[in-house]
Amino acid sequence: MNELVDKYGTKADFIYMYVIDPHPKTDPSPYSGADWEPSNYSKYRQPRTYDERVREAKAMKSGKSLSEQVSVFVDDLRPHNTTMKGDNPVWCRWGPAPNAGWLIRPNGTVALAQAWFNATGMDVLLAEITTEKAAGPSLLVQV
């Protein structure tokens, strides 16, 4: 995503949505229910509360893996949220995937939805959208 931010940062907004961990350190995968042995993908257990998830998102952001221009949003967890049994409303509504991406046009329509984020595909469409007359800023969201 950082390469896209460098290229389109003045023409688009970039959001990283911190959702359920697909590869928690010692907890089962939310996709298979199986433990990851060994889990080299994450340093953390699956957060059980919103505050735990916020702490992990802050640690990820401070680790400098994302450009400063990327806003990090955190999907909700109990007890903070009471909808959808309190857990993961964005992940549940936008498609439970470990690395999805969406490109949203300035008018709010989805220009591209990817089950697995692909920067090349996003780049092609971002180039097209950002050169449209009076397009306004686009929004790229990675989950």
Side-chain angles (χ1 to χ4, degrees):
M1 180 186 279
N2 289 338
E3 295 83 16
L4 296 173
V5 172
D6 291 343
K7 192 170 181 179
Y8 300 103
T10 61
K11 299 176 180 180
D13 297 314
F14 294 84
I15 296 172
Y16 184 93
M17 190 74 201
Y18 198 87
V19 297
I20 194 168
D21 191 335
H23 307 286
K25 186 72 174 166
T26 58
D27 300 303
S29 163
Y31 301 100
S32 69
D35 288 337
W36 293 94
E37 295 292 333
S39 179
N40 297 324
Y41 297 104
S42 179
K43 299 186 279 186
Y44 306 104
R45 295 197 64 181
Q46 196 66 261
R48 301 286 184 237
T49 66
Y50 182 74
D51 288 340
E52 288 176 9
R53 186 171 280 167
V54 168
R55 277 194 300 276
E56 289 182 17
K58 285 181 178 179
M60 182 215 43
K61 179 71 173 176
S62 69
K64 304 293 186 215
S65 62
L66 288 175
S67 165
E68 287 297 318
Q69 287 183 262
V70 176
S71 298
V72 176
F73 293 176
V74 178
D75 202 3
D76 225 340
L77 278 176
R78 296 175 200 168
H80 188 258
N81 181 16
T82 58
T83 63
M84 299 187 72
K85 299 181 184 173
D87 296 331
N88 311 305
V90 173
W91 182 75
C92 289
R93 284 189 183 114
W94 284 79
N99 192 32
W102 294 273
L103 178 58
I104 302 170
R105 291 182 181 276
N107 67 6
T109 61
V110 175
L112 180 61
Q114 298 175 326
W116 188 263
F117 180 78
N118 178 289
T120 303
M122 286 288 179
D123 187 15
V124 169
L125 203 49
L126 265 168
E128 179 183 311
I129 290 171
T130 57
T131 57
E132 293 173 357
K133 285 191 173 187
S138 297
L139 178 65
L140 186 137
V141 180
Q142 182 179 0
V143 174

